[in-house]
Amino acid sequence: MRVELVERLIARAVAGGASAVEVFAPATGVKFADLPQSSVADVEDAFATARAAQQEWAARPVAERAAVFRRFHDLVLAEQSQILDIVQTETGKARSHAFDEVGDVAVNARYYAKVAKSLLASRRRNGVIPGLTQVSEERLPKGVVAVISPWNYPLALSASDALPAIIAGNAVISRPDNQTALTTLWANEVAERAGLPRGVWQVVLGRGASVGTELISRADYVDYTGSTATGRKVASQAAERLIGYSLELGGKNPLLVLDDADIAKSAKGAVRAAFSSAGQLCESMERIYVHTDIYDEWVAAFVAEVEKMKLGADLAFNSDMGSLTFDRQLTTVSAHVEEARAKGATVLAGGKARPDLGPYFYEPTVLADVTPGMAVYRDETFGPVVSVYRATSDDDAVAQANDTSYGLNASVWTRNVGRGRAVAARLRSGAVNINEGFIAAWGSVDAPSGGLGDSGTGRRHGADGILKYTDSQTIAVQRLLPIAPLPGMSDETWAATMTLAFRAMRLVGLK
Ligand code: NAD
């Protein structure tokens, strides 16, 4: 990455009060930035700026706010080669997986720019006394929203979560992961070029436990994406302050191959579902349940597809899977595979690190004979490791798939969509993709996306994905007569009159 670009992006951050951290490209081990860190004073400055900017921004019509993100959409698509380079450098992922993030931002920007006006519009509600009480439901922006995002999908999980908050009239302060901060800063720069006034969206830098905590102690709402363990801490800090939060957390997602599935198609689909961004994807498949009648044939087809995968993270569309992002990911992945192997699992493909390609590369790995005593059976690996299991029936596949505390994403492969829907309805999962791994549900942003159980609370996408950044306000206007006894009327007569009125309203179907 060019030094001038790095310096220009870093200069955008509200940071400088604390000492810098060095950031290295995972695929090569080469340092590309000394990233300044935000002090408490920097965070305070960011909030003071945000509070002033938010008032002015919220006063603008929704259509004007939305128009900024139509231009943002166009700029991101037009200048994608630069952000693809940045995302790849920061994460080590393959270019095609970085492009998924560009697509995500385009889809979300277009969607919210289109629907925000109607979702945020004042809505008439039924009054308690029809005709006399006129009620409307308004949507007020929360104020200043903190978006704390991880490193695995740095463009999608910072920009796509910030933009509905901003269109709803909030100011946003983003805290990206240090590893992937330049991506967020790039999106922030593009948003300002698209017309977003300075101060409406700012970026602070630092570790979650320090700067993240400082943000949550001042924000009016927190949008957090990361692990379940950290999500619990964020929730308790937000609960202390009685502010709202949305938590997008971990997963241990199941993919079910029913006995009528198209074997070639589902094997290819399972590769996309398990190894996008080297499995460092919350929606990634880590468990595959294959009907026993087709198990041998399916597993052979799947392993053949996995063995064809080309590893690399050069800045071109020529590899199928990139590197892991951190040393600690490599440690977890190796530990899960080694423990499983030691306890009797069979490695059908992969199963080893590839230091010849870069410091954190690990082969796409398929395990069989995995049992409940192995960490890989239940714990999220968050890497390119997937286990295959036999299922004797749809019921058995559903029971095994639901044997988890998580519930983020699931996938069902069948030629019979009706059967697929029936299986989907029984899966405890926030999303179920039929004949696709994750991107059908994830990319369909008109529908909500989020987890059950340990996978989180709150939703992104759809109406929920913007309304969560607002508070409802009810305005009721009482006309002509008060809701009280008329002059000279006793309380008892008033009660009897109202009783008659309630019965009449029930009979005529009024509220
Ligand atoms: P992590 O929880 O360790 O860190 C995630 C982010 O939270 C980091 O940037 C970190 O700096 C920050 N953080 C840490 N402590 C914090 C605190 N006390 N307050 C505020 N922020 C804090 O998770 P990780 O292992 O780095 O990230 C991967 C996890 O994220 C996986 O479990 C994955 O499934 C999950 N994830 C979920 C989604 C989703 O949409 N559901 C998307 C991507 C990743």
Side-chain angles (χ1 to χ4, degrees):
M1 230 184 311
R2 283 186 297 109
V3 177
E4 314 84 75
L5 173 66
V6 173
E7 284 174 356
R8 191 181 85 215
L9 294 176
I10 281 179
R12 304 191 61 76
V14 189
S19 52
V21 300
E22 298 180 304
V23 193
F24 298 87
T28 58
V30 173
K31 180 172 131 181
F32 63 86
D34 283 304
L35 200 69
Q37 302 285 277
S38 303
S39 62
V40 174
D42 290 327
V43 174
E44 278 170 355
D45 280 355
F47 270 89
T49 305
R51 296 225 175 266
Q54 190 265 328
Q55 299 285 323
E56 198 271 328
W57 177 244
R60 298 196 190 187
V62 180
E64 198 180 309
R65 303 196 303 246
V68 169
F69 287 92
R70 281 203 189 88
R71 293 190 289 272
F72 176 77
H73 165 279
D74 296 348
L75 286 171
V76 170
L77 289 183
E79 298 178 17
Q80 60 178 280
S81 68
Q82 186 167 60
I83 190 59
L84 291 176
D85 288 354
I86 298 173
V87 169
Q88 283 198 276
T89 304
E90 291 191 320
T91 62
K93 65 175 69 181
R95 201 164 187 81
S96 57
H97 301 150
F99 178 75
D100 288 346
E101 302 206 48
V102 168
D104 181 82
V105 168
V107 167
N108 276 284
R110 170 167 46 86
Y111 174 71
Y112 283 115
K114 183 173 166 209
V115 301
K117 193 167 170 211
S118 99
L119 289 174
L120 299 171
S122 172
R123 286 198 152 60
R124 281 189 71 164
R125 298 293 178 205
N126 292 323
V128 58
I129 304 187
L132 298 186
T133 320
Q134 287 181 339
V135 179
S136 66
E137 179 188 325
E138 312 296 331
R139 287 281 154 187
L140 308 181
K142 292 271 183 186
V144 180
V145 171
V147 175
I148 302 177
S149 50
W151 43 270
N152 62 325
Y153 274 72
L155 182 62
L157 300 177
S158 61
S160 297
D161 280 356
L163 69 90
I166 297 171
I167 296 177
N170 297 284
V172 165
I173 302 181
S174 288
R175 197 296 327 207
D177 195 278
N178 276 334
Q179 180 65 34
T180 53
L182 299 184
T183 294
T184 306
L185 289 163
W186 183 90
N188 176 262
E189 181 185 79
V190 172
E192 289 189 2
R193 280 170 48 216
L196 190 68
R198 269 221 118 126
V200 175
W201 183 13
Q202 298 170 89
V203 182
V204 295
L205 303 175
R207 296 202 164 81
S210 51
V211 171
T213 304
E214 293 297 334
L215 283 192
I216 302 167
S217 66
R218 290 171 178 79
D220 302 310
Y221 187 86
V222 56
D223 183 85
Y224 173 79
T225 305
S227 68
T228 301
T230 308
R232 289 187 209 284
K233 290 186 200 159
V234 170
S236 55
Q237 204 195 335
E240 274 297 316
R241 295 198 52 237
L242 299 179
I243 59 166
Y245 53 83
S246 173
L247 303 174
E248 306 290 345
L249 310 177
K252 186 78 184 172
N253 306 303
L255 182 148
L256 286 61
V257 186
L258 308 189
D259 58 5
D260 65 346
D262 179 322
I263 290 183
K265 222 165 115 182
S266 55
K268 282 194 170 71
V271 167
R272 292 194 300 278
F275 301 119
S276 284
S277 290
Q280 298 170 124
L281 164 65
C282 54
E283 309 249 322
S284 196
M285 296 298 154
E286 297 198 358
R287 306 178 287 145
I288 300 182
Y289 300 99
V290 188
H291 193 279
T292 194
D293 289 353
I294 60 165
Y295 180 92
D296 291 336
E297 193 186 345
W298 192 88
V299 169
F302 179 54
V303 167
E305 291 294 336
V306 173
E307 283 173 345
K308 275 194 247 162
M309 289 174 71
K310 182 167 173 257
L311 271 61
D314 42 332
L315 307 183
F317 285 99
N318 59 10
S319 52
D320 300 311
M321 192 182 100
S323 168
L324 292 166
T325 303
F326 290 113
D327 191 9
R328 67 170 190 270
Q329 293 306 121
L330 181 62
T331 306
T332 309
V333 167
S334 306
H336 277 193
V337 173
E338 286 323 309
E339 188 224 28
R341 207 194 302 253
K343 288 183 174 169
T346 309
V347 179
L348 299 178
K352 59 180 188 302
R354 291 293 299 274
D356 53 314
L357 299 174
Y360 311 138
F361 276 87
Y362 196 94
E363 291 179 340
T365 297
V366 183
L367 302 177
D369 307 315
V370 169
T371 55
M374 305 171 189
V376 75
Y377 181 87
R378 207 170 285 286
D379 298 348
E380 184 184 35
T381 307
F382 213 55
V385 181
V386 65
S387 308
V388 285
Y389 303 87
R390 282 178 194 275
T392 52
S393 62
D394 291 3
D395 286 353
D396 180 37
V398 168
Q400 293 193 67
N402 283 340
D403 181 21
T404 175
S405 61
Y406 292 110
L408 189 58
N409 182 34
S411 167
V412 180
W413 293 79
T414 171
R415 284 192 170 90
N416 178 342
V417 172
R419 185 177 169 197
R421 284 183 184 280
V423 168
R426 295 163 64 201
L427 292 170
R428 291 279 306 151
S429 179
V432 183
N433 289 267
I434 297 174
N435 294 333
E436 188 46 84
F438 65 90
I439 211 153
W442 175 265
S444 302
V445 299
D446 194 28
S449 165
L452 310 182
D454 285 354
S455 292
T457 169
R459 295 288 180 267
R460 51 166 66 97
H461 301 166
D464 300 20
I466 188 165
L467 296 182
K468 70 181 179 182
Y469 296 125
T470 66
D471 283 315
S472 65
Q473 180 190 50
T474 298
I475 298 181
V477 180
Q478 188 59 27
R479 300 165 66 238
L480 304 174
L481 297 173
I483 307 177
L486 298 173
M489 185 187 262
S490 71
D491 284 350
E492 193 174 359
T493 309
W494 163 252
T497 309
M498 288 309 293
T499 300
L500 282 175
F502 289 141
R503 286 189 178 129
M505 284 192 265
R506 159 97 165 78
L507 281 178
V508 294
L510 293 172
K511 205 170 165 280

